[in-house]
Amino acid sequence: MLRYIKLTYYSLIKSYRSKAIKNKTVSIISNNCWGGFMYQSCKLQYNSPFIGLFLFAPDYIKLLKNLEENLKRKFIYINREQSKYKNCIEKDYIIGVLEGTDIEFIFKHYHSIQEIETKWNRRLKRLDFNNMIVKFSDSDLCTPELIKEFENLPFKNKVCFTAMPFPQYKTVKFMREHSKRGHVINEWATSYKYYNFVKESNKLL
């Protein structure tokens, strides 16, 4: 019964958000699965290729510093043993390195290179740099210096979730429930408490 009540509740929430969000084509750039969960929470198609994957924080900031040009590059695929993060990756995920860089994408929820290529290219075509939210969090080898770099990047619409306060930065949302852990995890589950994705997306229109 409790499971049924929860499923009904989340179904109603999704229905409400799908009606409330007017910006149906918003693109999300995210260092992990947060973007996918935001799309699902509003019953939107994926208007971004940043779905079902994650990047370690140093690589993510490198990517963002030259985002448009980096997203024109092709992937070179490697395995975990070839990754510079091999000691931090718990499973044998497929890893794509952007050609001409050392930026690694860990394709956590993909089963083949063909699946990656098909979905990445299809979703990349939908990405709109003029209608975009850029998200970061303090997980996966993040440091205060990288959070500062994110704050200084010239994206108009961005947000960063952290497990400790950074009152000097406008884009940081301090998630108190993660403070003992030292970094956020599964931040999509409670991010609406700190950042109204529907409201912020609608502001872009």
Side-chain angles (χ1 to χ4, degrees):
M1 177 60 74
L2 181 60
R3 182 173 181 273
Y4 173 76
I5 292 173
K6 286 183 177 179
L7 289 174
T8 301
Y9 170 76
Y10 287 119
S11 178
L12 290 172
I13 288 292
K14 287 182 179 181
S15 294
Y16 167 77
R17 289 173 180 166
S18 70
K19 293 176 182 177
I21 191 164
K22 306 304 179 185
N23 189 354
K24 306 293 187 182
T25 59
V26 61
S27 291
I28 303 171
I29 305 297
S30 177
N31 59 306
N32 58 23
C33 293
W34 181 84
F37 278 91
M38 292 303 102
Y39 284 129
Q40 292 168 22
S41 77
C42 299
K43 297 183 178 181
L44 297 178
Q45 74 171 353
Y46 297 141
N47 298 308
S48 166
F50 286 75
I51 305 296
L53 55 82
F54 73 94
L55 293 88
F56 284 93
D59 283 14
Y60 186 62
I61 296 302
K62 285 182 187 178
L63 174 80
L64 294 181
K65 286 181 177 179
N66 195 13
L67 182 62
E68 290 195 50
E69 289 303 312
N70 280 327
L71 292 182
K72 294 176 183 177
R73 301 175 186 270
K74 295 181 179 180
F75 286 114
I76 298 171
Y77 294 98
I78 62 173
N79 58 41
R80 180 172 59 172
E81 286 303 308
Q82 296 171 296
S83 170
K84 62 179 179 283
Y85 299 114
K86 64 182 180 180
N87 294 327
C88 303
I89 301 173
E90 72 276 15
K91 294 182 180 180
D92 291 323
Y93 300 124
I94 302 173
I95 299 168
V97 183
L98 288 181
E99 193 173 29
T101 77
D102 66 346
I103 298 170
E104 298 184 12
F105 284 68
I106 293 81
F107 291 97
K108 187 173 183 178
H109 298 294
Y110 294 81
H111 302 97
S112 69
I113 290 174
Q114 182 178 1
E115 181 188 8
I116 292 168
E117 292 286 326
T118 299
K119 292 182 177 179
W120 175 272
N121 291 326
R122 182 175 68 236
R123 294 164 180 168
L124 182 60
K125 291 177 182 177
R126 299 181 191 141
L127 196 152
D128 184 352
F129 290 100
N130 297 310
N131 182 22
M132 185 173 71
I133 291 172
V134 181
K135 175 264 178 188
F136 188 35
S137 60
D138 66 354
S139 54
D140 298 313
L141 305 183
C142 187
T143 64
E145 290 74 23
L146 290 173
I147 293 171
K148 181 179 180 180
E149 287 191 55
F150 180 79
E151 177 72 18
N152 292 329
L153 289 171
F155 297 107
K156 293 181 180 179
N157 309 290
K158 57 186 178 180
V159 62
C160 179
F161 300 108
T162 66
M164 61 183 293
F166 289 87
Q168 68 271 39
Y169 301 144
K170 293 181 180 180
T171 59
V172 168
K173 305 297 180 183
F174 168 42
M175 305 181 85
R176 295 180 182 275
E177 59 266 47
H178 299 279
S179 58
K180 291 183 179 180
R181 184 180 292 108
H183 62 86
V184 301
I185 185 170
N186 299 336
E187 61 270 23
W188 46 82
T190 55
S191 67
Y192 268 99
K193 289 170 56 178
Y194 304 92
Y195 180 83
N196 190 320
F197 171 71
V198 171
K199 182 179 179 181
E200 295 303 320
S201 296
N202 287 343
K203 285 181 181 179
L204 301 179
L205 294 176

